[in-house]
Every structure is written in C-alpha cells, then in structure tokens.
C-alpha cells in the first residue's frame, strides 16, 4: 500500500506518513515485548489479528458515538488513521484485579471490583510508565480538567460497551489500556479529543468466561504458551476472517 516516510517504530507498530495530509498509516508487527521490553519475541500472525480486531472495535465504538482516529483498514497489517497529538497518558481501566494492581496491592488476581477503576500512567518507556494521580496530571499540565472529565466519560462508555461485546462471545474483559489524542482543526488552535492507538489482545486482558483461560498477551508475558491459538480464537469469536492477502 502506498505510504509516506517512516515516522516512528514502536514495539508492536510502525507509523508512516499517510498519502493525504493529516493522516498516518499504522503497520502492525508480529513483534511482542513485555516488562518494558526486557522480554522480546514474536507471535506469528499477531499483527494481522491486532489490525483487524482494532478495526472492528474502533468501528463499533464510532457507532456508539465515541470519536476515534480510525479511518479505514488498508491491508492485512495496515490501517489509515488521523494524525493526532497523543495525550502522554496511558488510561487503564480495570473491572477485575490482575497484573500490576494485584502485585502492587498484594491482592489475588480475579477479584471483581465494586465498580470499574480508571488509573493513569505517564506514557514514558524509560521510566516504565509510572502510575500517576489525577493531581499529577493537572499539576504537570499533561491534560486539563475538561480533558480529564471527557477522558473519564469516554473511557466508562467504552468499558460498558466492550464488556458487553466480549461477554456476548463468552469472554470477560478484565482490564485494558487506552490512549487519547488531540485532533486539531485547521486553525491549529481548536481541537477535539479522540480515541487513538489500538485495541487488541496486546493491550487488554481477556479471560474465557467458562474456563477462566487467558486469551491475551499474558500467555506470552507469563510463558503460558498457546498465544497464537489464543489470539486466533479471540478473532474467530469476534467473527473476524483470518484469510490473509500475504
Ligand atoms: P497492568 O498495569 O496490569 O500491567 O496492565 C493493565 C492493562 O493495561 C493490561 O490489559 C495491559 O495489557 C494494558 N497495558 C498496560 N500498560 C501497557 C503498555 O505499556 N502497553 C500495552 N500494549 N498495554 C499495556
């Protein structure tokens, strides 16, 4: 697919300039990293699945009124998105205790929270994305109060919708990470907040509702094996065709 110059290579994606101004092409790799890139590997076919799962999720979220950066899928591994200024926060939503929350608070994984918890991390790989409070965000001017309140509103709506979507295919949505971006108008001053980045088994925890089996990147992080099959099963249940053009 035609694309412009390479802008940035991340752990799981490469970003290129799109052919139209204000657009970016996201290329999804099979590379997998964990624990701040201390563990590295690949999950065969992951890039194709994550591209298609992100397409489906972004498309469904647009339908319920969440603005996203997604424009269209271009190929197996590429999608066209709007260029935004990324808000330097990782917005983490938890429905069930797992991962770093379990570790930090000395809790068992699997405890259901009374209500969904929204946490923020500073998006900074060198620092290991440290957990920060709303007060840090406001004091450091990473986002203002209006933006934070919009982020909370959109995040809860996204969580409500996606929990239902996954429950419908026998999967419990345990937690996930979102990123938001500022989409500037032509005057380069006014902007709106939109959902950016991706939504895939790389940035969420998905447990089979019946068996509790992990169907996400924890299979890779924790050396459980079967990560290729788990990603494929998520795609299959979502009705995503994995016939490739490659
Ligand atoms: P935890 O804080 O328990 O490691 O992660 C909580 C949720 O956010 C998990 O679903 C995890 O996949 C996602 N997450 C947290 N940090 C990152 C990150 O830096 N990259 C990605 N892809 N996902 C993350």
């Amino acid at each position: 697919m035609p694309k412009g110059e390479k802008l940035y290579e991340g752990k799981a994606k490469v970003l290129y300039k799109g052919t139209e101004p204000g657009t970016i092409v996201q290329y999804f790799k099979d590379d997998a990293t964990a624990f701040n890139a201390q563990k590295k590997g690949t999950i065969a076919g992951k890039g194709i699945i994550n591209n298609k799962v992100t397409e489906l999720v972004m498309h469904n979220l647009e339908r319920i009124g969440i603005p996203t950066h997604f424009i269209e899928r271009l190929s197996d591994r590429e999608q066209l998105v709007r260029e935004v200024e990324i808000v330097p926060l990782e917005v983490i939503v938890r429905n069930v205790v797992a991962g770093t929350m379990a570790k930090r608070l000395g809790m068992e994984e699997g405890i259901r929270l009374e209500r969904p918890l929204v946490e923020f991390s500073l998006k900074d790989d060198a620092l290991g994305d440290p957990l920060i409070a709303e007060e840090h965000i406001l004091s450091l001017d990473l986002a203002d109060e209006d933006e934070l309140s919009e982020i909370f509103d959109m995040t809860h709506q996204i969580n409500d919708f996606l929990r239902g979507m996954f429950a419908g295919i026998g999967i419990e949505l345990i937690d996930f990470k979102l990123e938001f971006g500022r989409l500037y108008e032509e005057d380069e001053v006014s902007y709106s907040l939109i959902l950016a980045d991706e939504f895939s088994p790389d940035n969420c925890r998905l447990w089979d509702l019946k068996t509790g089996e992990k169907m996400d990147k924890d299979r890779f992080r924790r050396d459980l094996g079967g990560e290729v099959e788990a990603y494929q099963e998520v795609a299959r249940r979502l009705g995503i065709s994995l016939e490739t053009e490659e």
Side-chain angles (χ1 to χ4, degrees):
M1 278 286 160
K3 48 187 182 276
E5 69 176 285
K6 186 167 162 177
L7 296 172
Y8 168 80
E9 177 148 9
K11 288 172 278 187
K13 293 193 291 292
V14 188
L15 304 185
Y16 298 90
K17 262 196 173 152
T19 46
E20 297 288 315
T23 63
I24 301 265
V25 174
Q26 296 198 122
Y27 176 95
F28 289 74
K29 301 190 284 185
D30 285 350
D31 295 352
T33 62
F35 313 118
N36 207 15
Q38 288 173 47
K39 180 178 161 88
K40 289 187 180 142
T42 57
I43 301 175
K46 171 174 86 78
I48 299 171
I49 293 176
N50 287 359
N51 187 23
K52 292 183 176 181
V53 171
T54 298
E55 173 190 23
L56 180 113
V57 168
M58 295 288 178
H59 180 73
N60 284 347
L61 290 175
E62 288 275 356
R63 282 173 47 177
I64 63 154
I66 303 290
T68 81
H69 73 161
F70 183 79
I71 301 172
E72 62 174 334
R73 184 166 64 81
L74 300 172
S75 67
D76 273 355
R77 290 177 183 273
E78 293 165 320
Q79 57 180 245
L80 189 67
V81 301
R82 275 175 247 284
E83 185 174 13
V84 292
E85 174 190 275
I86 290 285
V87 179
L89 297 173
E90 298 202 334
V91 181
I92 290 166
V93 188
R94 299 182 190 273
N95 297 306
V96 175
V97 174
T100 58
M101 181 178 184
K103 206 171 269 173
R104 193 180 305 119
L105 302 181
M107 295 174 78
E108 291 263 336
E109 288 201 315
I111 297 171
R112 286 204 169 71
L113 294 165
E114 276 305 311
R115 51 179 224 177
L117 171 66
V118 179
E119 287 178 348
F120 298 98
S121 293
L122 178 66
K123 199 173 142 57
D124 187 326
D125 279 340
L127 296 176
D129 301 334
L131 185 71
I132 54 172
E134 273 180 69
E135 292 298 320
H136 288 93
I137 297 171
L138 298 174
S139 296
L140 298 171
D141 199 25
L142 303 171
D144 66 25
E145 280 194 52
D146 290 342
E147 289 178 317
L148 260 188
S149 127
E150 252 192 276
I151 287 176
F152 270 115
D153 285 351
M154 282 198 259
T155 298
H156 282 295
Q157 276 185 63
I158 292 167
N159 185 40
D160 287 346
F161 175 78
L162 292 181
R163 275 175 99 173
M165 187 185 93
F166 281 108
I169 54 167
I171 293 176
E172 182 163 20
L173 179 59
I174 304 300
D175 56 27
F176 56 94
K177 187 257 300 179
L178 300 175
E179 293 184 24
F180 290 88
R182 301 181 178 107
L183 177 68
Y184 282 90
E185 312 263 332
E186 269 174 26
D187 64 8
E188 293 180 13
V189 178
S190 10
Y191 64 86
S192 54
L193 266 189
I194 65 175
L195 181 65
D197 195 43
E198 66 174 280
F199 188 99
S200 73
D202 265 12
N203 58 16
C204 65
R205 287 193 172 92
L206 302 170
W207 294 357
D208 184 272
L209 263 173
K210 273 201 200 124
T211 64
E213 183 97 351
K214 298 186 196 325
M215 305 175 72
D216 55 68
K217 200 170 144 194
D218 272 351
R219 300 210 72 84
F220 168 78
R221 291 187 190 104
R222 302 181 186 190
D223 293 322
L224 301 174
E227 49 269 37
V228 173
E229 294 76 12
Y231 276 62
Q232 285 173 352
E233 177 61 12
V234 171
R236 191 193 65 77
R237 291 199 202 175
L238 286 169
I240 290 171
S241 157
L242 291 184
E243 277 196 23
T244 75
E245 301 146 16
E246 285 184 348

